[in-house]
Amino acid sequence: MTTSQPTLLRRLRTRHAVLIGLSSMIGAGLFAAFAPAARAAGNGLLIGLAVAAVVAVANATSSAQLAAQHPTSGGTYAYGRAQLGPWPGFLAGWGFVIGKTASCAAMALTFAAYVAPAGWERPLALVAIAVITAVNLRGITRTATLATVLVALVLLALAATMIIALTAHIGPWHPIAPGSLLAAGPYGILQSAGLLFFAFAGYARIATLGEEVVAPSTTIPRAIVIALGAVVVLYGVVAVLLLRGLGADQLGTASDPLAQLIAATSQPALAPIVMVGAALASLGALLALVAGIGRTAMAMAREGDLPRALAAVHPVHRVPYRAELAAAVAMALLVLIGDLRGAIGFSSFGVLVYYFVANASALTQRDTYRRYPRALAWVGLIGCAVLVATLPWPAVLAGVAVFAVGVVARLVSHRGR
């Protein structure tokens, strides 16, 4: 007699999926990515933001279309395997796992940058990883519930921040002359777009939850479009406020840009509002990222592309607990040895490869499953290739090296079988 293995349960509805996507994107973008993007492009980050948004929309439509056809865990790892074959699927899954592990380290460090006393940033980042992993291990409904609470509090803090920035005296506003948008040149603008793409990639978390969403063929596409549309508008408003209030030079060196924006107003005592919002947003992003990594790693382990032990689902809480624990250990190591800018660049490399495979997969879908024009998948495919080539060279070299390690490990593992 055989005993069936525990499986994931369909518990999430559209509002849950939207909130998980929002919590991923808001934390990543607003409180981490604008500073390195300003360092690369100055005021041109506004054009970089537009480019990143266009590529993100193209990627989102491909992801939504694929999710409707393949409602399973693993996101583009599963889509790539089904549409293109095992190797493209592996590259997508490996890119997601390593890229989003770096994202988790970036979110933990961002959380600590806003709330930790000097010298305590890394220890507090490690505590954040431990707490969020513990919540995820309790089940996907607890993840969604906490994501709902965090997003609501973050949006309140952001609303207060924008009202203060617009109404409190901030000294002379920094001009954004049309010529300054292009001063960094095409390379700087595209590099900023690649870094800002890190901020949009949260909608992938929705697709990775395919086995836990009710009516996934309709829920996932709808949730992706809603979450991404809301975030594009929010990022645009915040980017203009930061450039006008701080200027590109100060923004480029800021570890906590929104807090510095409020500190520059006539109401600096209200800066703790931003600090609380940033901390909560970073935790919300970390929460959703850990869930996404666990599901993708589980899908890869099922196929033998990662150790099969990682495919285990907890019999009570119905989560891929071994995959999430392994990811938490990797995040902790990155927090100990990495830095925020490096983590963002490395994450963008892995995720852009992931979406390159997603768009290539969407191009192979039959018309029966096509919901959006094929041209959008081409825009996403070309856009990902261009942006990954213009990332900071240390991030590119590190990304290539880690992908090479993954390829060699898979070759050795499969040859051994």
Side-chain angles (χ1 to χ4, degrees):
M1 188 171 103
T2 60
T3 303
S4 61
Q5 293 296 316
T7 59
L8 303 179
L9 300 178
R10 297 195 183 279
R11 296 170 170 172
L12 302 179
R13 300 190 180 276
T14 300
R15 68 179 183 278
H16 301 131
V18 169
L19 288 164
I20 286 174
L22 286 175
S23 69
S24 300
M25 289 184 279
I26 290 175
L30 287 174
F31 301 99
F34 281 115
R39 203 148 53 238
N43 286 338
L45 78 83
L46 291 177
I47 299 178
L49 181 64
V51 172
V54 168
V55 176
V57 168
N59 293 341
T61 56
S62 291
S63 295
Q65 191 168 270
L66 288 160
Q69 182 180 352
H70 305 285
T72 186
S73 289
T76 299
Y77 170 71
Y79 314 150
R81 284 185 64 91
Q83 298 294 134
L84 301 173
W87 269 109
F90 170 78
L91 292 175
W94 186 245
F96 184 88
V97 169
I98 63 170
K100 289 307 172 185
T101 300
S103 292
C104 286
M107 287 302 94
L109 289 168
T110 300
F111 165 75
Y114 275 88
V115 301
W120 286 88
E121 290 85 354
R122 294 185 194 276
L124 190 59
L126 294 175
V127 171
I129 289 171
V131 171
I132 292 300
T133 300
V135 172
N136 269 296
L137 290 173
R138 296 290 295 173
I140 191 62
T141 53
R142 285 178 171 78
T143 299
T145 299
L146 182 55
T148 301
V149 173
L150 290 174
V151 167
L153 293 173
V154 169
L155 290 177
L156 285 173
L158 284 174
T161 300
M162 288 187 279
I163 291 171
I164 294 167
L166 289 170
T167 58
H169 178 67
I170 201 169
W173 286 99
H174 294 265
I176 306 177
S180 68
L181 300 180
L182 301 172
Y187 182 81
I189 290 171
L190 288 174
Q191 185 176 111
S192 75
L195 293 167
L196 287 167
F197 184 81
F198 165 87
F200 285 108
Y203 55 81
R205 241 67 69 237
I206 300 171
T208 62
L209 303 174
E211 289 182 38
E212 295 161 279
V213 172
V214 177
S217 62
T218 54
T219 298
I220 292 176
R222 185 185 303 131
I224 287 174
V225 171
I226 293 171
L228 183 59
V231 167
V232 167
V233 174
L234 181 61
Y235 285 0
V237 172
V238 172
V240 171
L241 283 175
L242 287 171
L243 287 172
R244 294 294 309 278
L246 298 180
D249 291 340
Q250 184 178 349
L251 176 57
T253 61
S255 61
D256 51 356
L258 282 170
Q260 290 192 27
L261 177 65
I262 299 305
T265 71
S266 58
Q267 301 292 334
L270 297 177
I273 294 176
V274 183
M275 296 174 66
V276 170
L280 294 176
S282 300
L283 291 178
L286 185 58
L287 179 75
L289 285 165
V290 170
I293 292 169
R295 274 69 182 172
T296 301
M298 177 193 70
M300 295 180 72
R302 285 173 175 172
E303 301 292 343
D305 284 335
L306 287 177
R308 291 190 183 274
L310 298 180
V313 174
H314 196 280
V316 176
H317 302 301
R318 301 298 179 92
V319 296
Y321 66 105
R322 290 179 182 170
E324 292 189 353
L325 287 171
V329 172
M331 295 167 208
L333 291 174
L334 285 176
V335 163
L336 291 173
I337 65 175
D339 63 87
L340 185 58
R341 178 180 168 84
I344 290 174
F346 181 73
S347 173
S348 294
F349 183 94
V351 177
L352 284 165
V353 172
Y354 175 87
Y355 283 112
F356 182 91
V357 176
N359 288 297
S361 300
L363 287 170
T364 67
Q365 286 182 286
R366 293 182 300 198
D367 291 341
T368 307
Y369 300 105
R370 190 161 299 286
R371 295 172 173 233
Y372 307 99
R374 189 180 295 271
L376 280 173
W378 279 111
V379 169
L381 185 82
I382 296 169
C384 287
V386 171
L387 294 185
V388 81
T390 56
L391 287 171
W393 66 265
V396 174
L397 290 178
V400 170
V402 174
F403 267 88
V405 169
V407 168
V408 171
R410 185 176 191 271
L411 285 171
V412 171
S413 172
H414 283 253
R415 184 174 299 170
R417 298 198 195 107

